[in-house]
Amino acid sequence: MTAADADAPLDRALVEEATKKSGLVWVRGTGPARALWHVWFDGAAYLVGDGPGEQPFPPGLTDGATVEVTVRSKDKGGRLVAWTAAVTEPAPRSEEWEAAVGELRTKRLNAPDAERMPERWARECRVLRLTPGEVRTRLPDGSLAAAPLPTHATTRRPVPAGLPRLLKRGRKG
């Protein structure tokens, strides 16, 4: 038995616990990594996305691909562990798909159509299973910081015209 064989159960436990507790994982396919929300279920991370109103998947996140997953600490935000994952896409409405969607549905926040969400996901989105492979316990020395990906989302808008007057009026009292 080699040292790597002895560490394998500990590595798997680290992947499972870190991924369960983290709200986001960073997934890199063929392009830049993207932060994705997920659920840990049945020994794998499940994702839903690539449809209207859902998270976009990074390029290369397709059935049969191998991707790199980096898990961050929920409290500090730093990298805990990185692992390779085999990507599979369960057929919509299959037994595996239904079980995964049951878990994903409970974690999906702010859904506009909570009751009809599984039907929409079957029709318009993709549900993926990321099964852990090789665990990389040695993390890179550098920061791996990258420029943010382009997005249509924004939080900046012009200040409403009446806001300065409202703020000034509030100070008089």
Side-chain angles (χ1 to χ4, degrees):
M1 177 184 251
T2 67
D5 293 337
D7 290 343
L10 295 175
D11 290 346
R12 298 288 177 193
L14 173 62
V15 166
E16 181 173 348
E17 283 304 307
T19 308
K20 270 185 196 178
K21 291 181 179 180
S22 179
L24 293 173
V25 291
W26 291 87
V27 180
R28 180 187 316 278
T30 57
R34 187 176 292 270
L36 302 171
W37 72 269
H38 68 286
V39 296
W40 183 268
F41 174 68
D42 196 27
Y46 281 89
L47 313 166
V48 64
D50 266 3
E54 300 299 338
Q55 61 190 350
F57 288 154
L61 196 57
T62 57
D63 192 27
T66 300
V67 297
E68 182 179 322
V69 179
T70 303
V71 182
R72 69 182 182 99
S73 165
K74 189 172 186 173
D75 57 347
K76 302 290 185 191
R79 289 181 302 235
L80 290 178
V81 66
W83 44 280
T84 59
V87 180
T88 54
E89 186 170 358
R93 307 220 188 276
S94 67
E95 188 175 316
E96 179 186 2
W97 188 90
E98 292 286 347
V101 165
E103 293 293 318
L104 286 161
R105 186 176 178 192
T106 63
K107 301 295 184 193
R108 174 61 166 91
L109 303 176
N110 304 321
D113 59 345
E115 294 303 317
R116 296 181 310 277
M117 204 166 29
E119 291 84 23
R120 180 172 56 86
W121 286 351
R123 193 176 56 248
E124 301 172 354
C125 297
R126 295 170 50 217
V127 173
L128 300 177
R129 175 187 171 105
L130 304 182
T131 306
E134 177 189 351
V135 178
R136 297 188 181 141
T137 53
R138 175 139 167 72
L139 297 174
D141 294 329
S143 74
L144 299 181
L149 297 173
T151 178
H152 65 279
T154 182
T155 56
R156 298 238 178 220
R157 296 187 182 212
V159 175
L163 184 60
R165 285 191 308 261
L166 288 171
L167 293 175
K168 187 177 180 184
R169 188 175 9 171
R171 291 188 205 159
K172 288 184 181 178

